[in-house]
Structure formats: structure tokens, C-alpha cells
Amino acid sequence: MLLLLFAGLMRSLGRWLVVGTVVTVAGLTLREASRRRVLWALAGLTVALLALSAWGFSRLAGESEFGTMTSGQARLVASQLLNLVMFGMSLIAALGTAFLTGPTLSGETESGIVLAVLARPIRRSTLLLGKWLGLVVFGTGFVVVAGLAQCLVVLVTVDYWPPQPVVALALLAGQTTVLLTLGLLLSTAISPMASGVVAVGLFGATWIAGVVGGIGDALGNEGVARVGTISRMLLPTDGLWRGAMHAFQDPAGFAEFGAAMEGFPFLSQAPLTATYLVWAAVWTAMVWGLAAISFQRKDL
């Protein structure tokens, strides 16, 4: 009986040690990410985008045509422009996380830092999970702060506030998580620069395939529309982005004029289904699992 109790205590202690190690590695990864030059590049691009969008929205508010629009038309135009700017924000996040993920793992492997960490009784999967968690916190924090700042810019300039900003920012954070998980997998097999280039390239290709699919939907061409559907299943970034667009845009304005805007790349016709959100989570878990297997077999 005492042996069973002791074994149970040891298992519990082991779990707590693993959790503590993951949290520690995540904190170190977050600290290291904040010191990299990529962060300054992200900050500079974000400030530039906010400044340009503030200038553009203020010019739009000053146009006489905008003042003569109905409330529905004005909200629809604001929705389109907000989605356009948010796509730029998501692209900045994609570039930042993709080129940050590679050096975080692959770069430390090449420099020998990982060997020093793994010399201690730390599993590779634990180290990988900690780094992934730190990157997720970093990417989510960037998306939330930058996204809220952009929403405030739109509110001040054209008096428009998206109907579901929390949902939209959560989906953008999910998009960032999907991409950095893919980047983590790639970084276990190829160089840091190559992993970033491939991840961003796939991000852009999936978005283009989604636009093509939207045009196919508007034209009633099922074959072309299927291109977007398949791409969103293979890489959920575009699907999550379209869900975020739907949460940013005004539903009343889209319901009034949406039929004339079918196929427009910065409007989304429907919210995401629960099934697709589950698939995005499953996809992320599967890719992380592949990354763990690849890292486990990697010759350090």
C-alpha cells in the first residue's frame, strides 16, 4: 500500500516538474523573442500601418461622398477598409512569427544551445512544447495589442466599431498559432531562413487560393470554388482569416449590399462553423505532433 502511495506521489511530482519545465522554457522563449530584432521590425511595421490607416480613414471621413452615404453603406465601406487593414496586420504577424520561429529552434540547434539545455534531464518534447507555448503567447499578445489599436483608430476616425472584436482577434490569434506551428515543424527539418520563407509562402498561396475559391462561389463554378475549400482544409490560416473578417464587418450593411459584393476578397459571407474550428485545433495538434517526432529524430 505504501509502495503504491509512493509511486502515485512520484508520478504527480513528475507531472508538476514537467509543467514547471514547460512554463520555464516558455518564459525564456518569450524573453528571447522580445530581444530579437524581429520584434523591432514588427513594431516599426505596425506603427507605420497604424499611421497610414489613420491618415487614410481620416481622409475618407472628410470626403463629401462618404458623408452622403446611408448608414448601411458607410458601415459596409468601413468594414471593407477595416478588413483590408487587418489583413495587412495579419501579414505582419505572419512574417514576424514565421521568421521568429525558425531561429528560436533551428538556430539554437545549429549554435549548440539546445545541446546545453538537453544535457539536463529534459525531454525534447518538453523543450519543444515550452518553446511553442512561448511563441504562442508572443504572437497572441502582438495580435491583440495591434488589433485593438487598429480598431481604436477606426473608431476615432470614422466612428465604426466592429460587432465582434473579441471573436475576430481570437481567430487572428488562432491564425498566428497555426502558422507558427507550421514554422516550428519546418524548422526541425530545414534552415531557419528557409522555414520562414516556406511558411510565409504557404500562407500567401492559401490566401490566393481562398480568393480564387470566393470568385468561384460568386460565379457559381463549383470546380473553382473547391480550390478555396481544399486549401482551407490543408492549411487553416485562410479559413480563420475569413472568420475574423466576418466578425469585423457590420452584419446589417453586408445583408443590405452583400449580394453585389460576392467574391470581394475583403468581405466574408458567413461565420465559421464549430466543425471547422475543431478541425483547426486538430490540425494544429497533428502538426505539433509531427514537429515533436521530427525533433526527436533530429541529429543534434
Side-chain angles (χ1 to χ4, degrees), residues 62-83:
E63 292 291 333
S64 59
E65 290 83 358
F66 188 79
T68 58
M69 289 181 180
T70 65
S71 59
Q73 289 174 328
R75 289 196 300 269
L76 184 62
V77 170
S79 297
Q80 294 177 55
L81 294 178
L82 176 60
N83 284 341

Side-chain angles (χ1 to χ4, degrees), residues 132 174 177-179 181 236 240 278-289:
W132 177 84
T177 300
V178 165
L179 192 62
T181 306
L240 294 171
V278 171
W279 165 245
V282 170
W283 187 97
T284 303
M286 289 192 302
V287 172
W288 189 92

Side-chain angles (χ1 to χ4, degrees), residues 61-284:
E63 292 291 333
S64 59
E65 290 83 358
F66 188 79
T68 58
M69 289 181 180
T70 65
S71 59
Q73 289 174 328
R75 289 196 300 269
L76 184 62
V77 170
S79 297
Q80 294 177 55
L81 294 178
L82 176 60
N83 284 341
L84 172 62
V85 176
M86 282 300 182
F87 178 76
M89 197 75 70
S90 70
L91 182 59
I92 292 174
L95 289 169
T97 54
F99 286 100
L100 186 64
T101 303
T104 299
L105 185 63
S106 184
E108 291 183 2
T109 300
E110 293 177 358
S111 65
I113 296 176
V114 170
L115 284 175
V117 176
L118 293 176
R120 303 169 185 177
I122 299 177
R123 294 181 179 180
R124 293 191 183 190
S125 59
T126 303
L127 177 66
L128 188 71
L129 181 59
K131 288 187 172 295
W132 177 84
L133 182 61
L135 290 170
V136 168
V137 172
F138 178 85
T140 300
F142 169 78
V143 167
V144 170
V145 172
L148 283 177
Q150 184 58 63
C151 289
L152 289 174
V153 166
V154 175
L155 177 64
V156 171
T157 52
V158 295
D159 194 26
Y160 175 77
W161 185 256
Q164 296 177 298
V166 175
V167 173
L169 293 177
L171 290 174
L172 285 183
Q175 180 194 52
T176 303
T177 300
V178 165
L179 192 62
L180 71 84
T181 306
L182 175 62
L184 199 66
L185 170 62
L186 294 171
S187 67
T188 62
I190 55 179
S191 66
M193 181 61 70
S195 65
V197 170
V198 172
V200 174
L202 290 174
F203 172 84
T206 305
W207 181 76
I208 292 174
V211 173
V212 172
I215 295 174
D217 282 329
L219 297 176
N221 190 321
E222 294 184 2
V224 176
R226 198 173 295 118
V227 173
T229 302
I230 294 174
S231 68
R232 286 191 286 272
M233 296 302 294
L234 293 177
L235 182 59
T237 51
D238 185 61
L240 294 171
W241 159 243
R242 291 184 175 277
M245 281 199 302
H246 190 272
F248 279 129
Q249 71 195 26
D250 182 75
F254 186 78
E256 185 177 354
F257 303 100
M261 305 297 294
E262 288 186 6
F264 190 75
F266 297 108
L267 287 175
S268 180
Q269 298 183 15
L272 292 183
T273 63
T275 302
Y276 188 82
L277 292 175
V278 171
W279 165 245
V282 170
W283 187 97
T284 303

